[in-house]
């Protein structure tokens, strides 16, 4: 691998409720790089739309993805971690166009686990009612996409350890499974 894990910008992706914020913050701390909460890049209109139970469409997501891409570009070569659902390949392509070399950490879990986590959240605007739309839009990492898929059925620190191992082993292939 030509770059250390701490010099890579990691996008922690997955459906709502997988723990992107928790894992992202822990991963950033482990790598000693800045963390950016993807939800903070949403416009107030997007937040209101989701809070009302209406899924975002591609037009809603465009400016949000561009803002995340700009942040990632600003961290190129210096590393960083940002949470972003990045559910579709086209969204990930847009982020890569803004900041080549991104590493996508896809957090996955079964629907029952994710539903349980969503139902337990009290401090987030995303309602459980949007879970189905998230799973319907989700396109898993595909060949040629630099990243790793990690199950969230483990404790967050174990997820982070697998993520760091995947970053270190990224030369082994474009899409690793952990």
């Amino acid at each position: 691998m030509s770059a250390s894990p701490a010099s890579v910008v990691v996008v922690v992706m997955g459906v709502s409720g997988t723990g992107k914020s928790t894992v992202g913050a822990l991963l950033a701390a482990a790598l000693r790089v800045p963390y950016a909460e993807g939800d903070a890049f949403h416009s107030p209109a997007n937040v209101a739309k989701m809070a009302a139970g209406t899924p975002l469409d591609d037009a809603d997501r465009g400016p949000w993805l561009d803002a995340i891409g700009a942040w990632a570009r600003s961290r190129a070569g210096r590393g960083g971690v940002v949470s972003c659902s990045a559910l579709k390949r086209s969204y990930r392509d847009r982020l890569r166009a803004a900041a080549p070399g991104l590493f996508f950490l896809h957090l996955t879990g079964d629907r029952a686990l994710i539903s349980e986590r969503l139902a337990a959240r009290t401090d987030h605007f995303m309602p459980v009612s949007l879970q189905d739309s998230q799973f319907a839009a989700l396109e898993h990492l595909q060949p040629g996409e630099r990243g790793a898929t990690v199950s969230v059925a483990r404790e967050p620190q174990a997820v982070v350890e697998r993520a760091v191992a995947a970053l270190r082993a990224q030369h082994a292939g474009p899409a690793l499974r952990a």
Side-chain angles (χ1 to χ4, degrees), residues 86-107:
L87 298 175
K88 294 182 181 181
R89 170 79 186 246
S90 63
Y91 302 164
R92 297 188 298 273
D93 289 346
R94 188 171 184 152
L95 292 170
R96 272 191 295 274
L102 293 176
F103 183 92
F104 290 88
L105 176 63
H106 181 189
L107 302 181

Side-chain angles (χ1 to χ4, degrees), residues 7-142:
S7 68
V8 174
V9 178
V10 178
V11 177
V12 182
M13 63 168 282
V15 298
S16 187
T18 54
K20 294 182 298 291
S21 299
T22 299
V23 169
L26 289 170
L27 180 60
L31 297 175
R32 295 187 174 116
V33 296
Y35 170 68
E37 170 56 58
D39 287 340
F41 293 92
H42 275 299
S43 68
N46 278 4
V47 172
K49 191 172 184 179
M50 288 183 284
T54 304
L56 299 180
D57 59 28
D58 288 353
D60 296 323
R61 287 189 180 98
W64 174 66
L65 291 166
D66 292 343
I68 291 171
W71 183 88
R73 184 176 51 251
S74 78
R75 298 299 314 160
R78 298 181 296 142
V81 176
V82 61
S83 57
C84 172
S85 56
L87 298 175
K88 294 182 181 181
R89 170 79 186 246
S90 63
Y91 302 164
R92 297 188 298 273
D93 289 346
R94 188 171 184 152
L95 292 170
R96 272 191 295 274
L102 293 176
F103 183 92
F104 290 88
L105 176 63
H106 181 189
L107 302 181
T108 64
D110 71 27
R111 269 184 203 252
L113 174 63
I114 304 305
S115 293
E116 182 180 307
R117 289 180 174 190
L118 283 172
R121 288 199 314 196
T122 59
D123 60 344
H124 199 273
F125 56 81
M126 184 72 141
V128 176
S129 63
L130 291 181
Q131 179 185 24
D132 287 341
S133 70
Q134 292 243 310
F135 276 104
L138 177 63
E139 296 172 1
H140 295 274
L141 290 176
Q142 299 168 16

